[in-house]
């Protein structure tokens, strides 16, 4: 199964091809976003690990611990080898990168941390990290897709 680290490597590969580097917080947010779109499109998560509602936003614990030593510095390594995700997942990551990849960390946090997001709803009653329900994330991204369809019409 695809892991959040596999997805993060794909984002690092795309950013590196553009001559850019990502910091850990941006990379985590970029991994959270396509997971939501995957749930909306297919009913399945993009990767196997849970996403939790932490104090400062949605987080993937396994990915966070793998990246924590970078702190707020840009990650100075590229992807850790050839892509380990299938074509459909890679295409979704590429589409999310095209839409969100150039946004600064603050904008990505604004998207994932604002009122009404799965993170905000899950954090309402939590006094510590708590898993964000996939059904809640799916509903949120289905609503975003419906909004986009309305605007395009």
């Amino acid at each position: 199964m695809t892991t959040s680290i596999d997805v993060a490597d794909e984002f690092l590969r795309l950013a590196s091809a553009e001559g850019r580097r990502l910091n850990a917080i941006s990379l985590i947010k970029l991994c959270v976003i396509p997971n939501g779109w995957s749930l909306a499109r297919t009913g399945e998560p993009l990767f196997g690990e849970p996403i939790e509602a932490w104090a400062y936003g949605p987080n993937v614990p396994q990915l966070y611990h793998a990246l924590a030593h970078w702190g707020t510095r840009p990650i100075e390594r590229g992807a850790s080898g050839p892509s380990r995700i299938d074509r459909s997942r890679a295409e979704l990551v590429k589409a999310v990168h095209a839409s969100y990849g150039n946004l600064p960390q603050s904008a990505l946090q604004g998207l994932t941390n604002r009122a009404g997001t799965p993170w905000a709803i899950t954090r309402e009653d939590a006094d510590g990290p708590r898993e964000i329900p996939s059904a809640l994330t799916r509903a949120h991204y289905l609503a975003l897709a419906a909004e986009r369809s309305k605007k395009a019409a």
Side-chain angles (χ1 to χ4, degrees):
M1 170 164 260
T2 302
T3 69
S4 60
I5 293 172
D6 297 333
V7 173
D9 274 352
E10 198 66 23
F11 276 111
L12 289 171
R13 184 176 288 102
L14 292 167
S16 179
E18 296 174 347
R20 294 183 314 102
R21 290 192 230 154
L22 300 168
N23 68 31
I25 295 170
S26 292
L27 186 55
I28 290 168
K29 302 310 176 208
L30 285 170
C31 289
V32 166
I33 293 168
N35 189 68
W37 287 115
S38 180
L39 285 164
R41 290 180 179 176
T42 68
E44 298 294 324
L46 184 62
F47 48 82
E49 303 95 330
I51 296 174
E52 294 182 354
W54 286 19
Y56 298 105
N59 214 324
V60 184
Q62 179 180 340
L63 184 56
Y64 170 82
H65 293 297
L67 299 172
H69 66 279
W70 289 104
T72 58
R73 298 181 326 264
I75 297 169
E76 295 186 16
R77 68 165 180 84
S80 60
S83 180
R84 293 182 304 273
I85 63 176
D86 64 40
R87 194 171 113 197
S88 65
R89 283 180 169 85
E91 287 173 3
L92 177 56
V93 169
K94 188 175 182 178
V96 167
H97 177 77
S99 295
Y100 303 96
N102 287 319
L103 295 177
Q105 175 186 317
S106 59
L108 292 169
Q109 287 177 297
L111 290 171
T112 61
N113 299 18
R114 70 177 181 241
T117 62
W119 169 80
I121 294 166
T122 303
R123 282 296 298 173
E124 283 176 1
D125 301 328
D127 46 348
R130 194 159 115 196
E131 186 172 340
I132 299 172
S134 291
L136 183 61
T137 301
R138 184 171 195 262
H140 176 75
Y141 280 86
L142 285 170
L144 288 177
E147 283 178 33
R148 285 183 175 189
S149 292
K150 274 183 168 176
K151 288 180 182 176

